[in-house]
Amino acid sequence: MITKGLPLPPLSTIGILGGGQLGRMLAIAAAEMGMRCHIYCPDADSPAFDVSIRHTRAAYDDLDALTRFAQECDVITYEFENVPAATAAHLAALRPVCPGTRALAISQDRLQEKQFFSSIGIEVAPWRPVETADDLSAALAEIGPQTLLKTRRFGYDGKGQVRVSAGDDPAVAIDKAGAGPYVLEGIVPFTREISVIAARDAAGATCAYDPAENIHRDQILHSSAVPGDIAPATAKAARVIATRILDALDYVGVIGVEFFVIRDGEADRLLVNEFAPRVHNTGHWTQDACLISQFEMHIRAICGWPLGSPRRHSDCLMTNLIGEDALQAERLSGEPDARVHLYGKAEVRAGRKMGHVTRLLRPVR
Ligand code: AMP
């Protein structure tokens, strides 16, 4: 990664593709460091617009708008991984885009992601590429009987995923999963799901937060507990794997890496589920339980500032406020040691992430 022009001085402009809550919290962190954010998003009601000095409302394939946006930015980042490859390439020719286009491309395609993990010796769930119903039958025979058929692209929060068991009709499963191609994954008998938020700067310095233990409900993240019930050796191994991914990608910025923990005799084994080339919902706890949040860490990394410490000063529990949960925000904010974060979304919808609450449980000594 090029370090020329770094560190960016205060009042530099950070371009952010995507205007959701992650962009909003990045922009707030950037403002606290004296930086300015320019949000690029096609949606009129983007939560990040409210907290940024400038925004462009245009389509991701509007090359003229992208060029004008890039010309106003010193560095460009993104808050979602489905930025079209052509958009990222266009911008990368004009300004530094962090994390780079390779991390973006790999994270967009579950097949490339699995191949990447294998290439650097990281264990994943058993998997097979699938395009047709015949492929699915053959793959099911090899890695069944309990599997998940996942679309290679555009899956999130369990969308684009179908459970397939031996004996199911492969054509029906393919139909249910949506547009292919796919990967078929063996269902992993995990004891818990954990994630690590880690960061790397342009000079190659890295750091990693303590892993969080994550609970999903209806395939949406419900809560993240830190430290959670994670053995120290497992926590260390997870941080090491996350750092290996960062180095292999020559990555700049914050990454979220999700793991399955499986019991293997007396020891834990870690399988990587996926990585997100951005700040991550399972890292929101860092806003209140660490000196430097994942949002500030990302801004520091892409601006070439020192990463700072990922040290956690408190044990904590982060709970998402989904749909009507957000109606409890004011009451929750009255709890001692709790802090409520709302994303400024006007319309409450079932399954929509409206905010989160962080509860500090006890200080770390
Ligand atoms: P994903 O979209 O791949 O992050 O999957 C969403 C959730 O589905 C994960 O957080 C797990 O709870 C579950 N899941 C995904 N893949 C597997 C697997 N191979 N085995 C067991 N559970 C899985």
Side-chain angles (χ1 to χ4, degrees):
M1 177 73 199
I2 307 154
T3 52
K4 199 171 131 260
L6 297 179
L8 294 179
L11 300 183
S12 296
T13 300
I14 299 165
I16 302 178
L17 296 168
Q21 64 267 17
L22 299 179
R24 177 180 171 102
M25 290 184 275
L26 281 169
I28 292 169
E32 285 187 317
M33 293 172 61
M35 302 293 180
R36 295 175 159 166
C37 284
H38 183 160
I39 309 293
Y40 189 108
C41 187
D43 307 324
D45 56 350
S46 293
F49 288 172
D50 297 346
V51 298
S52 303
I53 197 160
R54 180 125 166 66
H55 70 259
T56 296
R57 208 187 136 208
Y60 290 118
D61 60 0
D62 182 338
L63 297 185
D64 292 337
L66 287 170
T67 301
R68 284 194 300 276
F69 165 71
Q71 283 166 346
E72 291 184 21
C73 297
D74 298 293
V75 63
I76 296 170
T77 188
Y78 43 89
E79 59 119 46
F80 70 115
E81 58 272 39
N82 288 319
V83 174
T87 305
H90 183 79
L91 293 172
L94 300 167
R95 288 291 184 275
V97 172
C98 303
T101 47
R102 178 157 174 254
L104 191 62
I106 291 174
S107 73
Q108 286 177 354
D109 181 347
R110 289 189 194 273
L111 178 63
Q112 279 194 50
E113 198 178 12
K114 309 263 184 230
Q115 290 168 335
F116 163 70
F117 289 140
S118 301
S119 76
I120 58 168
I122 288 176
E123 262 198 289
V124 294
W127 62 276
R128 293 288 183 278
V130 166
E131 290 190 22
T132 63
D134 284 347
D135 295 345
L136 177 54
S137 295
L140 198 52
E142 284 175 15
I143 63 168
Q146 297 299 332
T147 64
L148 280 171
L149 183 67
K150 300 183 178 180
T151 56
R152 273 171 56 179
R153 291 178 172 274
F154 302 120
Y156 70 97
D157 288 348
K159 293 188 176 61
Q161 285 189 23
V162 184
R163 212 179 156 123
V164 193
S165 307
D168 288 352
D169 183 338
V172 171
I174 289 225
D175 201 45
K176 269 200 221 153
Y182 318 88
V183 291
L184 187 71
E185 271 183 43
I187 289 192
V188 167
F190 58 79
T191 51
R192 50 187 58 86
E193 292 188 83
I194 69 170
S195 58
V196 169
I197 306 299
R200 186 173 181 275
D201 72 14
T206 57
C207 68
Y209 290 94
D210 287 338
E213 178 176 352
N214 304 315
I215 306 292
H216 293 87
R217 285 195 188 156
D218 301 326
Q219 293 182 298
I220 300 177
L221 182 72
H222 169 261
S223 55
S224 295
V226 190
D229 187 9
I230 308 172
T234 307
K236 185 170 175 207
R239 283 199 300 264
V240 168
I241 291 173
T243 308
R244 230 160 79 210
I245 295 171
L246 290 176
D247 286 335
L249 292 170
D250 192 19
Y251 194 96
V252 178
V254 159
I255 197 170
V257 183
E258 296 183 64
F259 301 83
F260 300 124
V261 183
I262 346 184
R263 204 72 195 142
D264 192 359
E266 284 301 290
D268 282 339
R269 218 170 101 211
L270 285 172
L271 303 182
V272 173
N273 176 24
E274 60 185 0
F275 77 85
R278 53 170 168 79
V279 288
H280 198 248
N281 195 170
T282 66
H284 291 359
W285 63 273
T286 61
Q287 286 175 312
D288 299 309
C290 298
L291 193 60
I292 314 289
S293 73
Q294 62 164 346
F295 302 100
E296 179 169 336
M297 189 68 83
H298 185 71
I299 300 297
R300 284 171 174 242
I302 67 174
C303 290
W305 286 37
L307 290 180
S309 170
R311 197 177 68 79
R312 178 170 58 84
H313 56 67
S314 301
D315 293 353
C316 76
L317 176 69
M318 187 290 305
T319 307
N320 272 336
L321 300 175
I322 294 172
E324 296 203 336
D325 296 348
L327 304 178
Q328 301 299 317
E330 189 188 335
R331 183 184 60 76
L332 292 171
S333 70
E335 282 185 21
D337 302 319
R339 195 155 168 246
V340 171
H341 302 255
L342 289 177
Y343 307 149
K345 296 182 183 178
E347 197 191 335
V348 178
R349 282 199 303 264
R352 191 175 200 204
K353 290 176 180 169
M354 305 296 295
H356 62 272
V357 55
T358 317
R359 294 182 171 96
L360 296 186
L361 305 176
R362 64 194 73 79
V364 173
R365 304 216 179 274

